[in-house]
Amino acid sequence: MAADFETLRVRQDGAVMLVDIAAPPINLLGIQLVRYLVSLMQRAESDEACHVIVFASADPDYFIPHVDVTRISEYREQAARLTGEPSMAILFRRLSESRLVTIAQVEGRVRGAGSKFVLACDLRFAALESAIFSQPESGFGLIPGAGGIQHLTRLLGRARALDVMLDADDYAADLAERYVCTNRALPVGTHVECILMLAHRIAAFPAAGRAVLKARINAIALAPTDDFARDSDLFLECARDPEAQKRIQTAMTRGFQTHEGELALGHLISSV
Amino acid sequence: MAADFETLRVRQDGAVMLVDIAAPPINLLGIQLVRYLVSLMQRAESDEACHVIVFASADPDYFIPHVDVTRISEYREQAARLTGEPSMAILFRRLSESRLVTIAQVEGRVRGAGSKFVLACDLRFAALESAIFSQPESGFGLIPGAGGIQHLTRLLGRARALDVMLDADDYAADLAERYVCTNRALPVGTHVECILMLAHRIAAFPAAGRAVLKARINAIALAPTDDFARDSDLFLECARDPEAQKRIQTAMTRGFQTHEGELALGHLISSV
Amino acid sequence: MAADFETLRVRQDGAVMLVDIAAPPINLLGIQLVRYLVSLMQRAESDEACHVIVFASADPDYFIPHVDVTRISEYREQAARLTGEPSMAILFRRLSESRLVTIAQVEGRVRGAGSKFVLACDLRFAALESAIFSQPESGFGLIPGAGGIQHLTRLLGRARALDVMLDADDYAADLAERYVCTNRALPVGTHVECILMLAHRIAAFPAAGRAVLKARINAIALAPTDDFARDSDLFLECARDPEAQKRIQTAMTRGFQTHEGELALGHLISSV
């Protein structure tokens, strides 16, 4: 099955699908990763024996750092294959509405639209020692356009949402837990087993009640499609701003979108 | 006064009413407990000298575990005596709208609709060493129909609300505090005194301002009646599902709704 | 520049404006402080080189305790100079909508409308050892009318918001952090430097994206103007109540609105 999705290594473990994101060099949300993510969602949702998906990363340093800023229109076209809308925000909102329960097992760096993918999952657990979070968009004059404003503002409240989005710097798993960006931070060593047990426990319960429950929770906590779409459009507008373009270009010359260069992205941004 | 309410032992301490829930064997929200809860609310609200109610349990192991699943229509009829609607969700919402300030002093297990009773109270403090929380409904293919979805989603945010409601397992007072299910977890030994001091402090302040304050906070944070009613209806629909009925029947044979059998309910559920 | 604002000592540090609140004896939100706060906001917003304001206090014991209850109509008239509305709630909401990023560096006591000023700021950091929070209004039969109900209910959730507003007592920086009243509590000694670094980091990022971001977050998390206005009106109504007037008068005879008398305000209130 792995062959079908190239950038996603897939194993089926009973009713639980285990997915390792493997899009070297840094799991960038580019054309390939978005294409196979769409295919995977279609495949998993059509398999009635599949109830839960666990997303992990094959790269210990990066879960998903952010979108490929050099291919914005192309990866958005891939997203449109599932939703009809060239928008990562709408694609991720669709993931939140899935009948499947999605769990993010976060190790390494999760930033920008990668962070929004994680926020769109139903449950998310961070490896205490290794998970790193950030919304770097402000540093370039961009905004989190893939749903981050919608999720983070509701979860963190106005001041903490402003904090993490204006600061554009990395923060660790313990702060992410205190700020409700993640369900819980779990110590490496036990976290994989904890998540797997939870996934199988949930998958064993009746699907009908689960679907009703998720729909009711989404009715309260999932922002309207229009708000996701508006953020998505504003991201594009901001990205066309010459000042933003200049900052992105400068960042590219300093290692942006490379494995080495993004290890300390908060520092790179402040030097642009 | 205790004689009036049978399953509720009542003492008046100045402007504060102290209520011990005493409905053996496990304080199930059945016909008796709901009947006397309604009577108590009517009595307390009509007494102008009463300003605050503190609810505690006479059973150290159980605060309120959940509804009596063998008597759903009957206990709902009791709730209708106060509100005109055969729904625990509407009854508990009515409690949240009361002019009285209600405080839950949680020791032992509080699960299902018992947890919703606690969530409907204005303030809730958990005994750090003994309080145990859970929303077990998913394990049976049911949903939290008595207001739990409304309260928990707003308090915990989407992912943590999904976590506790999909997992259907017990969690302790410290996690309940971190997840904002409870105001604070207080060490046994000091918690009764702390709560009593707070109750008397609040009761001594002017009632007029307090009523305005509570109304304004409810206008923001208390979900619309229609949403409570909808959850209540969906709970009934889920409960009629043959799969749910089968799981409930199996659970009954394994100690569900008994003092011994529910000590580790999360485990019982996963074996059904 | 300090001379222009009397009760506010102002220094410009690049794109960051540093403001020390200095309105002895206790930084009461009275006629003078509100007048100069309005002037400062007008001045800072019209200066295109200014991007961030950091508010601190010149008095280690008091940040802003609350409004001057003896001059309610007069300080409200000062607020109307900026917004056309004689209401602190509307003035503070205007601050939240500013293109400027505002940061409160809280040391000492912040209570009542002072707390609402801090809640209206975009970011707020409390000195771990010295910051003290409270909403004392309930103790007098008043309500938090300057936006506190709107902010606190959304940030803390129903039960914790009721807790801090019904209790009317002081709470320390660590609880304020757990209750999401503050972004973070930072140890004295490092907190000034942390805040200054953050202020300069934010100010160096493009202004255009920041404005879009703040507008989008406000659209979600900043309550409608009508709700602020309604709370403001209800505060006035409550303040006219003879019981509230009597409590305020008694409190004045026991040191209310004096430096010494308000050190332990929670105790003073319970004795009125």
Side-chain angles (χ1 to χ4, degrees):
Chain A
M1 190 160 166
D4 296 349
F5 305 109
E6 294 196 19
T7 54
L8 300 170
R9 294 187 201 144
V10 178
R11 278 184 304 134
Q12 197 71 33
D13 178 13
V16 177
M17 180 183 274
L18 302 169
V19 179
D20 278 354
I21 303 165
I26 55 168
N27 289 351
L28 218 47
L29 270 174
I31 304 172
Q32 296 301 313
L33 186 49
V34 178
R35 169 184 296 155
Y36 293 114
L37 202 54
V38 164
S39 301
L40 179 91
M41 284 170 65
Q42 291 173 322
R43 160 76 177 269
E45 292 196 336
S46 66
D47 176 2
E48 285 185 22
C50 181
H51 292 300
V52 177
I53 307 181
V54 177
F55 291 102
S57 173
D59 182 336
D61 288 325
Y62 293 93
F63 187 87
I64 299 176
H66 50 77
V67 296
D68 181 348
V69 296
T70 67
R71 299 295 187 88
I72 293 179
S73 59
E74 290 97 327
Y75 71 70
R76 286 168 72 107
E77 282 309 319
Q78 291 299 325
R81 284 173 46 223
L82 190 68
T83 63
E85 297 286 338
S87 156
M88 296 304 288
I90 301 297
L91 178 66
F92 291 162
R93 193 180 187 284
R94 175 74 176 64
L95 184 70
S96 301
E97 288 186 303
S98 171
R99 70 162 183 85
L100 302 166
V101 173
T102 50
I103 306 179
Q105 173 186 316
V106 183
E107 292 169 87
R109 289 154 185 80
V110 60
R111 299 187 182 121
S115 160
K116 283 63 178 180
F117 170 77
V118 167
L119 288 163
C121 287
D122 296 326
L123 310 177
R124 44 192 168 272
F125 298 94
L128 182 58
E129 296 86 348
S130 82
I132 290 174
F133 295 77
S134 136
Q135 278 67 46
E137 292 87 346
S138 283
F140 298 97
L142 305 174
I143 63 161
I149 294 173
Q150 301 302 321
H151 285 295
L152 290 170
T153 305
R154 285 168 173 79
L155 285 170
L156 281 68
R158 184 175 179 276
R160 289 181 174 179
L162 279 163
D163 188 2
V164 299
M165 290 191 265
L166 288 173
D167 185 22
D169 209 349
D170 288 345
Y171 52 104
D174 60 338
L175 188 70
E177 181 184 281
R178 278 156 61 200
Y179 271 28
V180 201
C181 303
T182 183
N183 286 44
R184 266 174 288 166
L186 300 171
V188 168
T190 64
H191 79 302
V192 174
E193 192 184 9
C194 281
I195 291 170
L196 201 60
M197 278 181 58
L198 177 62
H200 281 287
R201 181 177 173 90
I202 291 172
F205 294 151
R210 188 164 59 231
V212 175
L213 177 64
K214 205 172 147 176
R216 293 300 289 162
I217 292 177
N218 281 342
I220 299 166
L222 193 57
T225 303
D226 284 356
D227 289 337
F228 280 84
R230 180 72 184 134
D231 288 354
S232 195
D233 292 345
L234 287 169
F235 171 80
L236 275 194
E237 281 182 33
C238 289
R240 286 192 208 104
D241 187 286
E243 168 75 11
Q245 279 301 323
K246 204 188 88 196
R247 294 208 175 210
I248 290 168
Q249 300 311 325
T250 308
M252 295 296 281
T253 67
R254 298 190 186 167
F256 190 51
Q257 304 210 155
T258 69
H259 196 284
E260 194 65 21
E262 293 216 4
L263 289 175
L265 182 60
H267 183 68
L268 187 155
I269 287 174
S270 66
S271 74
V272 168
Chain B
M1 191 160 166
D4 296 348
F5 305 109
E6 292 193 22
T7 55
L8 300 169
R9 294 186 201 145
V10 179
R11 277 184 305 134
Q12 197 71 34
D13 178 14
V16 177
M17 180 184 274
L18 301 170
V19 179
D20 279 354
I21 303 166
I26 56 169
N27 289 349
L28 217 49
L29 269 173
I31 304 171
Q32 296 301 312
L33 185 50
V34 177
R35 168 184 296 156
Y36 293 113
L37 201 54
V38 164
S39 300
L40 180 92
M41 284 171 65
Q42 291 173 322
R43 160 77 177 269
E45 292 196 335
S46 66
D47 176 1
E48 285 186 20
C50 181
H51 292 299
V52 177
I53 307 183
V54 177
F55 290 102
S57 172
D59 182 337
D61 289 325
Y62 293 94
F63 187 87
I64 299 176
H66 51 75
V67 297
D68 181 349
V69 296
T70 66
R71 298 295 188 87
I72 293 179
S73 60
E74 290 98 327
Y75 71 70
R76 285 168 71 107
E77 282 309 319
Q78 291 299 325
R81 284 172 48 221
L82 190 68
T83 62
E85 297 287 338
S87 157
M88 297 304 288
I90 301 297
L91 178 67
F92 290 163
R93 192 179 188 284
R94 175 73 175 65
L95 184 70
S96 301
E97 287 187 302
S98 171
R99 68 162 184 85
L100 302 166
V101 173
T102 50
I103 306 179
Q105 173 186 315
V106 183
E107 292 168 88
R109 288 153 186 81
V110 61
R111 298 186 181 122
S115 160
K116 284 64 176 180
F117 170 77
V118 166
L119 288 163
C121 287
D122 296 327
L123 310 177
R124 43 191 169 271
F125 298 93
L128 182 58
E129 297 85 349
S130 82
I132 289 173
F133 295 75
S134 137
Q135 279 67 47
E137 291 88 346
S138 282
F140 298 97
L142 305 174
I143 64 161
I149 294 173
Q150 301 302 322
H151 285 296
L152 290 170
T153 305
R154 284 168 174 80
L155 285 169
L156 281 67
R158 183 174 178 277
R160 289 182 174 180
L162 279 163
D163 188 1
V164 299
M165 289 191 266
L166 288 173
D167 184 23
D169 208 350
D170 288 345
Y171 50 105
D174 60 339
L175 187 70
E177 181 184 283
R178 278 156 59 202
Y179 271 28
V180 201
C181 303
T182 183
N183 285 45
R184 265 174 287 166
L186 300 172
V188 169
T190 64
H191 79 302
V192 173
E193 193 184 9
C194 280
I195 292 170
L196 201 61
M197 278 181 59
L198 177 62
H200 281 288
R201 181 178 172 89
I202 290 173
F205 294 151
R210 188 163 61 231
V212 174
L213 177 64
K214 206 173 147 177
R216 294 300 289 163
I217 292 177
N218 280 342
I220 299 166
L222 193 57
T225 302
D226 283 356
D227 289 337
F228 280 84
R230 180 74 183 133
D231 288 354
S232 195
D233 292 346
L234 287 168
F235 171 80
L236 275 194
E237 282 182 33
C238 289
R240 285 192 208 104
D241 188 285
E243 168 75 10
Q245 279 300 323
K246 202 189 90 199
R247 294 209 175 210
I248 290 169
Q249 299 311 324
T250 308
M252 295 296 282
T253 67
R254 298 192 186 166
F256 190 52
Q257 305 211 154
T258 68
H259 196 283
E260 194 63 23
E262 293 216 4
L263 289 175
L265 182 60
H267 183 68
L268 188 155
I269 287 175
S270 66
S271 75
V272 169
Chain C
M1 192 161 165
D4 296 349
F5 304 108
E6 293 193 19
T7 54
L8 300 169
R9 293 187 201 143
V10 178
R11 276 183 305 133
Q12 197 72 33
D13 178 15
V16 177
M17 180 184 275
L18 302 168
V19 179
D20 278 355
I21 303 166
I26 55 169
N27 289 350
L28 217 49
L29 270 174
I31 304 172
Q32 296 300 312
L33 185 49
V34 177
R35 169 185 295 155
Y36 293 114
L37 202 54
V38 164
S39 300
L40 178 92
M41 284 170 65
Q42 290 173 323
R43 161 75 178 269
E45 292 195 336
S46 66
D47 176 3
E48 285 185 20
C50 181
H51 292 300
V52 177
I53 308 183
V54 177
F55 290 101
S57 172
D59 182 338
D61 289 324
Y62 292 94
F63 188 86
I64 299 176
H66 50 76
V67 296
D68 181 348
V69 296
T70 67
R71 298 295 188 87
I72 292 179
S73 60
E74 289 97 326
Y75 72 69
R76 285 168 73 107
E77 281 310 319
Q78 291 299 325
R81 284 172 47 221
L82 190 68
T83 62
E85 297 288 336
S87 156
M88 296 303 288
I90 301 297
L91 178 67
F92 290 162
R93 193 180 187 284
R94 175 74 177 65
L95 184 70
S96 300
E97 288 186 302
S98 171
R99 69 162 184 85
L100 301 166
V101 173
T102 50
I103 306 178
Q105 173 187 316
V106 183
E107 292 168 88
R109 289 154 185 80
V110 60
R111 299 188 181 120
S115 160
K116 284 65 179 182
F117 171 77
V118 167
L119 288 163
C121 286
D122 295 326
L123 309 176
R124 44 192 169 271
F125 298 93
L128 182 58
E129 297 85 349
S130 81
I132 290 174
F133 295 76
S134 136
Q135 279 67 46
E137 291 88 347
S138 283
F140 299 97
L142 305 174
I143 64 162
I149 293 173
Q150 300 302 320
H151 285 295
L152 290 170
T153 305
R154 284 169 175 77
L155 286 169
L156 280 67
R158 184 175 178 275
R160 289 182 174 180
L162 279 164
D163 188 1
V164 298
M165 290 192 264
L166 288 173
D167 185 23
D169 208 350
D170 288 346
Y171 51 104
D174 60 340
L175 187 70
E177 182 184 280
R178 278 157 60 203
Y179 271 29
V180 200
C181 303
T182 184
N183 285 46
R184 266 174 289 167
L186 300 171
V188 169
T190 64
H191 79 302
V192 173
E193 193 184 9
C194 281
I195 292 169
L196 201 61
M197 280 180 58
L198 177 62
H200 281 288
R201 181 177 172 89
I202 291 172
F205 294 150
R210 188 163 60 230
V212 175
L213 176 64
K214 206 172 146 177
R216 293 300 290 163
I217 292 177
N218 280 342
I220 299 166
L222 193 57
T225 303
D226 284 355
D227 289 337
F228 280 85
R230 180 73 183 134
D231 287 354
S232 194
D233 292 345
L234 287 168
F235 170 80
L236 274 194
E237 282 182 33
C238 289
R240 286 192 206 103
D241 187 286
E243 169 75 10
Q245 279 301 320
K246 203 189 91 198
R247 294 209 176 207
I248 291 170
Q249 298 311 322
T250 307
M252 295 297 281
T253 67
R254 297 189 186 169
F256 189 52
Q257 304 210 155
T258 69
H259 196 283
E260 193 64 23
E262 293 216 3
L263 289 175
L265 182 60
H267 183 67
L268 187 155
I269 287 174
S270 66
S271 74
V272 166

